[in-house]
Amino acid sequence: RAAAPLRCGTVAVVVQHRVVAHAANDIFSEDSGSLTLRLSHHETGYWRGPASGRALESRDWQYSQPEKLWLNGNSEIERWPGFPHTPVVVVAAKHAGRADGE
């Protein structure tokens, strides 16, 4: 947790999912929780929109810009080799949200 409020537009993290379940999918979020970078689904990975089987929600970090989520440098895949338990580098650019005045 940050010592003081900060604004974050892009997040880069190395993640190794130890538990993959609906109740344990958030990785990073705004303090208010209004925007969240999360593993969208325990079987299908990180959703990118309707082609993933379900549209992104407005609280998703990559909402309306699924191409701005990179998994191991790839902006198209939803899962990576060894999904879900091998480590993955996640880079994501946040869409404008409530904390940004929108």
Side-chain angles (χ1 to χ4, degrees), residues 26-96:
D26 291 355
I27 297 170
F28 187 88
S29 72
E30 290 184 333
D31 189 37
S32 65
S34 63
L35 290 178
T36 303
L37 177 58
R38 62 187 172 136
L39 177 65
S40 307
H41 192 270
H42 64 283
E43 292 178 355
T44 57
Y46 289 82
W47 290 338
R48 296 195 177 273
S52 300
R54 185 171 161 199
L56 292 168
E57 299 173 13
S58 60
R59 74 181 197 106
D60 284 313
W61 199 265
Q62 71 273 24
Y63 178 73
S64 76
Q65 54 184 27
E67 73 284 355
K68 292 188 177 179
L69 172 80
W70 295 268
L71 302 173
N72 290 335
N74 188 316
S75 65
E76 296 178 357
I77 62 173
E78 296 176 345
R79 294 177 291 186
W80 56 95
F83 170 84
H85 299 294
T86 60
V88 62
V89 175
V90 179
V91 177
K94 180 176 75 66
H95 78 88

